Every structure is written in structure tokens, then in C-alpha cells.
Amino acid sequence: MYFPCVRDSNSEHRLPPDSESDGCRGTETLLLVEDEPMVRNVAELALKRLGYRVLSASDGPSAVQLAESTIEPIHGIITDVVLPGMGGREVVDALHKRLGPLPTLYVSGYTGDRIDEEGIKSEGSYFLQKPFMAMDLGRSVRRMLGERK
């Protein structure tokens, strides 16, 4: 993620004014899978501030278990491409078998060949390159879930 330099701890630079973020807001439930705690926490906070309900997991098996144990429907998946043990594509495949097809946003710091090797480019999936800003995440999620009219 990209973090702008902020000297004033009371500054509101974390998210733009409501007029800029309105098109990114939502109420859907998202499953966030990210092994890096800082990235996961910041992404979760940004999404919650935009109105989303976020279920967070630090790895693939935890994500599958969390998705199976939640009562409410999950509207989309946000997952890192490269995760220890069970990669992002494997997580999505496992969840699709259990929950049916879900819109997916893959995020990664890797580029080009590594992303192609992971085979994540498919219909119904989106990609966001790390580092990214909170509003980039919000826009990508809104695009993944469908623009509001």
C-alpha cells in the first residue's frame, strides 16, 4: 500500500472527503485474505470506513474456515496472490466450490510473469497492483462488485 507522508496525527488524509469517496462506498460483506498484518489491518480499516463489512483472514485455510462458518452471504473476495501454503488462486477455487462463484479482487506486489503463472486472470476477477492507496482499493472493490447507478 502507498502511504502519503503525514506530519499531523489529527490529519484526515487517510480517506478523501465524502464527495470523492461516495462512488466507492458499499454495504456488502467482503472476505479479505492477506498474510501481511499491517496491509491487512489498513485495508480492513479503509474498507470499513467505506461502509463494507469485512471478514479478515491471514491465510488460505483460515479464510476457507471463516467463510464456511459465517452465516451472512459473502459478496466478494479480496486476496493476495502469493500467500504461504495455499496461494490466492487456491483459496478462491476452494471458496468457489463451497460458496459458488464470487467476484474476486486479487492484489499483489508481484508483476507480469509471476501473475501470469498464478493463473488469476479470468472472467469475474480483477487485479490491483501493490502498493495502492485506500481509494484505489475502494474503487477496485466497487468495480468488482458492480458500479452503483
Side-chain angles (χ1 to χ4, degrees):
M1 299 188 92
Y2 171 75
F3 300 100
C5 180
V6 177
R7 297 196 192 285
D8 179 5
S9 63
N10 294 324
S11 177
E12 292 297 322
H13 293 312
R14 288 173 189 85
L15 287 176
D18 285 344
S19 62
E20 291 180 46
S21 63
D22 282 345
C24 300
R25 294 187 179 281
T27 58
E28 294 91 344
T29 299
L30 304 169
L31 177 61
L32 172 65
V33 189
E34 171 61 61
D35 60 319
E36 180 58 44
M38 185 183 299
V39 174
R40 185 176 60 252
N41 292 338
V42 170
E44 181 177 357
L45 178 62
L47 291 167
K48 284 181 175 180
R49 286 184 176 177
L50 290 170
Y52 296 100
R53 180 162 179 340
V54 183
L55 306 172
S56 294
S58 61
D59 57 44
S62 297
V64 173
Q65 183 178 22
L66 180 59
E68 289 177 340
S69 67
T70 192
I71 297 170
E72 64 188 284
I74 295 172
H75 300 97
I77 304 166
I78 304 166
T79 183
D80 196 350
V81 173
V82 179
L83 296 164
M86 184 181 199
R89 178 60 191 251
E90 292 171 295
V91 172
V92 171
D93 289 345
L95 291 170
H96 283 187
K97 286 179 186 174
R98 290 166 172 80
L99 306 174
L102 291 169
T104 302
L105 174 64
Y106 290 98
V107 296
S108 182
Y110 291 96
T111 58
D113 294 339
R114 181 66 191 260
I115 301 304
D116 291 337
E117 288 172 17
E118 295 293 327
I120 64 162
K121 294 179 181 175
S122 65
E123 190 174 321
S125 68
Y126 296 82
F127 179 76
L128 179 61
Q129 181 71 46
K130 291 180 187 177
F132 52 81
M133 295 178 64
M135 287 312 300
D136 294 331
L137 177 60
R139 284 185 198 101
S140 295
V141 167
R142 193 69 259 153
R143 197 171 314 119
M144 170 189 76
L145 295 171
E147 301 286 343
R148 293 189 179 193
K149 300 196 174 158

